[in-house]
Amino acid sequence: MAAIGNTDTAQLAALDSDLLLAFVTVADSGGFTAAARYLHKTQSTISLRISTLESRLDTLLIERGSRRLTLTGDGETFLVYARRLLQLQREAIAALGRSQPVTLRFGLPEDYADTWLPALLERFGARHPEVHVHIHCRMSTELLEQLEKGSLDVVLAVQHAADSGGRPVATGEVVWAAHRRFTLDAGRPIPLALFPEQCIYRRRALAALANIGRDWQLDSTSQSPSGLRVIVNQGQTLTVTDRRSLPENWRALGESDGLPPLPPAVIEVHRSPSLMHPAFDDFVALINEVLEEGDAAG
């Protein structure tokens, strides 16, 4: 097969956006199955598009037969150009000035919405008034499931695994927290108010208590940060939160109170590979900007 560098103009002209998008999405999502979910196509359709693209380029782009998707040398080279071609297409459509209603579906945990969302929406709205941002607040695990199903475009989430596929943009200090009236009784199990089982804060907190042999009891569970605040404000329970989200009438507790340290939270941006609007690139860049400013202020 011919190398990418030998591909002629006629071959490049035959590369429609569906083929390019399928290839970029497979590369970004790590496989044919995930790409099919992102693009709302069958896996066989995605496979056919990759095969068609390879045929038109007269080269192999993806190694077959391995557990993990691997691009060939030509695949790595062409991925750079495929991204550029799709970007040029987006810019060309935007340059026509034919404004169509555009919605960006953005998901993030509710407690981070309070911290970062106002500045993010204000800046993005000033730059892109033609884009409506639909906000979806849920727990990180639920948001990532919705992203994979194609229901969201961009997600800001807490990292649950090192191979999550997101891009780290900030780190948050996670602390034990309670209302200022709360008194921790060393002789009794710790009364806790936490998020549901899928919450990474909850899992880490309970694991930390188990490591030091400290007894605890789960008094309350809420999926909503607002619900947890109401519960903790009664002054009877302890919870876990990012220090940025600590209300003024709460206090952080730590090792001096007999509590184990908690690992920090890595905040990541996850983006659907199928995004096709230039304003979305700016939105992701603004997430980085707002979070960096927050870290600097902290």
Side-chain angles (χ1 to χ4, degrees), residues 111 139 193-197 199 201-202 221-225 228 240:
D111 43 352
M139 296 181 63
L194 299 172
F195 287 115
E197 292 181 2
C199 174
Y201 288 4
R202 168 176 166 151
T221 301
S222 174
Q223 184 158 332
S224 164
L228 277 184
V240 177

Side-chain angles (χ1 to χ4, degrees), residues 208-261:
L209 292 176
N211 285 339
I212 65 169
R214 187 71 160 87
D215 291 335
W216 55 270
Q217 63 186 42
L218 185 61
D219 282 2
S220 300
T221 301
S222 174
Q223 184 158 332
S224 164
S226 299
L228 277 184
R229 279 195 287 271
V230 171
I231 296 165
V232 174
N233 280 341
Q234 304 308 305
Q236 303 297 317
T237 53
L238 185 72
T239 191
V240 177
T241 187
D242 190 306
R243 185 179 284 276
R244 295 185 185 93
S245 305
L246 201 66
E248 290 185 4
N249 59 340
W250 289 16
R251 65 186 179 93
L253 292 83
E255 293 182 76
S256 61
D257 302 287
L259 295 171

Side-chain angles (χ1 to χ4, degrees), residues 22-38 43 46 62-63 66-71 79 83 163-165 271 273:
F23 174 59
V24 170
T25 305
V26 167
D28 286 351
S29 65
F32 289 84
T33 302
R37 286 195 295 265
Y38 278 123
Q43 186 172 338
I46 299 300
I62 298 173
E63 296 281 2
S66 59
R67 287 188 176 182
R68 296 184 60 186
L69 181 139
T70 305
L71 299 182
L79 181 60
R83 294 190 199 280
D163 58 350
S164 64
R271 173 176 176 165

Side-chain angles (χ1 to χ4, degrees), residues 24 69 86 95 107 112 115 121 131 152 155 157 176 241 254 264 267 292:
V24 170
L69 181 139
L86 289 172
Y112 290 134
T115 305
L121 292 181
V131 180
L152 293 174
V155 163
W176 300 97
T241 187
I267 315 301
E292 285 176 1

